[in-house]
Amino acid sequence: MSRWKALPAELDPRVRQLVVRLRRAKDHAGLSMRQLAARTGYSEKSWERYLGGRTLPPREAVTELARACGEHPTRLLALHEVAAEAWRTGGGSAPAPEPPEPAEPSGHRALRIALVAGSVALVLAVCAAVLLAVRLTDPDEASPARASARPPVPASPSAPTYTCQLTRTDGHWYAGNSRTEDAVLVNGLAGPEVAEAQCLLRRAGFSPGVIDGIFGPRTEAAVRQLQARASLVVDGIVGPHTWKALRR
């Protein structure tokens, strides 16, 4: 396994989480920087900047790394979306211009284009799911007609209230907040899918803290404990495999 240098102290935690996950995927595949560069369209120096936390890698680089390491890109791309937002709002310095990459064979270029198109569609689907979750937690968005019929009231800081109404159907557990089995949840997200995961974590014997629909450090710690017990990849991210472990 590589002996990694410490990441910059000022790096945003969301960017740090992405870089650590990319490092882990590379180490798990047993690839050197030179081998990683050979299997992707990005140079060894580019990967040194990406994995050193000095430059945010582009989405295409994340997809290429996942392919080279035999990983499914969904979780890495979800982390990249969160990290990119943090980078844009001050979580890191402006990305340095990339040096030109060596020309690729036409067949490899066509494969890269197909992979990029697929990853973009996947990222859009994940973003749509996250936006839908946020809209569902907003009473005004959930029922515009009812909102317009109410008299104006002062804004309230209260958050949505979630409950755990556990039921078992066809051998699967549900808590009454969401029936999703593949939503990707990472630290920093919020919504009914998070509340559903929190209820199921508590049912499984792991404490996520308050059932508030907010994916924070305590919820992530509970997810990691569940993943370790279920012999899954321990990354603190709720994806299809973790949902399966939660619902059975």
Side-chain angles (χ1 to χ4, degrees):
M1 181 174 293
S2 301
R3 298 179 62 87
W4 295 104
K5 292 183 180 179
L7 292 171
E10 67 276 10
L11 199 63
D12 187 281
R14 291 163 290 181
V15 181
R16 182 183 300 273
Q17 187 177 24
L18 170 66
V19 175
V20 169
R21 189 65 181 84
L22 293 176
R23 286 179 171 186
R24 188 181 304 164
K26 171 190 169 296
D27 288 343
H28 184 72
L31 298 178
S32 66
M33 285 290 192
R34 179 173 298 179
Q35 290 170 328
L36 182 61
R39 295 191 182 189
T40 65
Y42 296 84
S43 67
E44 187 174 344
K45 289 185 177 180
S46 293
W47 282 117
E48 289 174 355
R49 286 194 298 273
Y50 299 156
L51 300 180
R54 301 195 302 273
T55 304
L56 183 71
R59 286 194 303 270
E60 294 82 358
V62 174
T63 301
E64 286 286 299
L65 182 142
R67 179 184 62 81
C69 297
E71 294 251 349
H72 196 285
T74 304
R75 293 183 179 183
L76 294 178
L77 288 172
L79 286 175
H80 182 273
E81 286 299 304
V82 176
E85 178 61 26
W87 196 280
R88 285 193 294 269
T89 56
S93 56
E98 289 295 320
E101 301 292 347
E104 303 176 29
S106 58
H108 185 62
R109 185 180 299 276
L111 178 59
R112 274 177 57 79
I113 293 173
L115 286 171
V116 170
S119 66
V120 169
L122 182 59
V123 169
L124 290 176
V126 171
C127 291
V130 173
L131 290 175
L132 178 60
V134 174
R135 287 176 63 88
L136 289 175
T137 63
D138 187 344
D140 291 333
E141 292 289 342
S143 180
R146 182 173 61 185
S148 61
R150 290 198 301 257
V153 294
S156 171
S158 61
T161 301
Y162 297 103
T163 59
C164 298
Q165 301 176 0
L166 292 169
T167 58
R168 191 168 173 81
T169 305
D170 295 330
H172 293 79
W173 285 100
Y174 298 92
N177 296 298
S178 171
R179 298 183 68 85
T180 183
E181 295 183 358
D182 56 6
V184 177
L185 307 179
V186 298
N187 197 329
L189 294 183
E193 289 83 3
V194 176
E196 179 79 3
Q198 289 174 328
C199 289
L200 296 178
L201 284 165
R202 178 175 291 180
R203 187 207 68 80
F206 305 104
S207 175
V210 179
I211 308 299
D212 55 5
I214 300 174
F215 199 125
R218 291 193 63 181
T219 299
E220 181 177 349
V223 170
R224 290 178 179 274
Q225 293 170 359
L226 171 78
Q227 290 171 330
R229 188 178 73 178
S231 299
L232 300 174
V233 175
V234 181
D235 56 9
I237 301 171
V238 179
H241 295 296
T242 303
W243 278 115
K244 185 177 180 179
L246 284 169
R247 295 206 182 277
R248 67 186 179 196

